[in-house]
Amino acid sequence: MTVRSPWSLVRLANLTSAANVGLQVGYNWYRHGKHEFGPDDLGLVVYRLEVPGAREPGPDSEPGPDGSTTLQIVGICLVDYLREKELLVDAEAERLNDAFNNRG
């Protein structure tokens, strides 16, 4: 995952908190060793989202009370945010929300 601005990082932290998933920040030692970037370059910072549970609802998953998985909850939070910022048109937001909420 690439984060291009401090604003994006704040939004990512807010999203992960709202969806109750983990966000790890680390350093890419491999790229550092290959000298692709200077030691203080932002390109060496890596982000990892930890979304527990199954990707899809099913017999082996532990869905939430409404049948949704954690990944679906992350999607719902992201759609809401993009819609609020007018980066996603209403029709597409509704289609995605229906899919994430197991409605059609």
Side-chain angles (χ1 to χ4, degrees):
M1 168 182 329
T2 301
V3 176
R4 294 190 176 102
S5 71
W7 171 82
S8 295
L9 183 57
V10 170
R11 183 47 52 197
L12 181 61
N14 181 281
L15 169 69
T16 57
S17 177
N20 198 26
V21 297
L23 174 65
Q24 292 181 339
V25 179
Y27 191 80
N28 191 328
W29 287 102
Y30 176 76
R31 288 180 114 179
H32 173 82
K34 290 183 71 178
H35 305 289
E36 292 181 12
F37 297 92
D40 298 329
D41 197 304
L42 291 176
L44 293 171
V45 177
V46 291
Y47 303 93
R48 180 175 177 225
L49 260 158
E50 290 187 4
V51 181
R55 291 176 179 244
E56 301 293 334
D60 296 333
S61 66
E62 294 183 22
D66 61 352
S68 60
T69 65
T70 304
L71 187 58
Q72 286 172 292
I73 294 167
V74 170
I76 291 165
C77 291
L78 183 58
V79 167
D80 288 346
Y81 170 72
L82 293 173
R83 180 186 243 171
E84 175 187 315
K85 292 293 180 184
E86 298 179 352
L87 297 171
L88 195 60
V89 296
D90 285 340
E92 183 65 5
E94 288 301 320
R95 185 189 71 75
L96 290 168
N97 271 331
D98 285 347
F100 287 132
N101 284 293
N102 300 324
R103 298 185 302 237

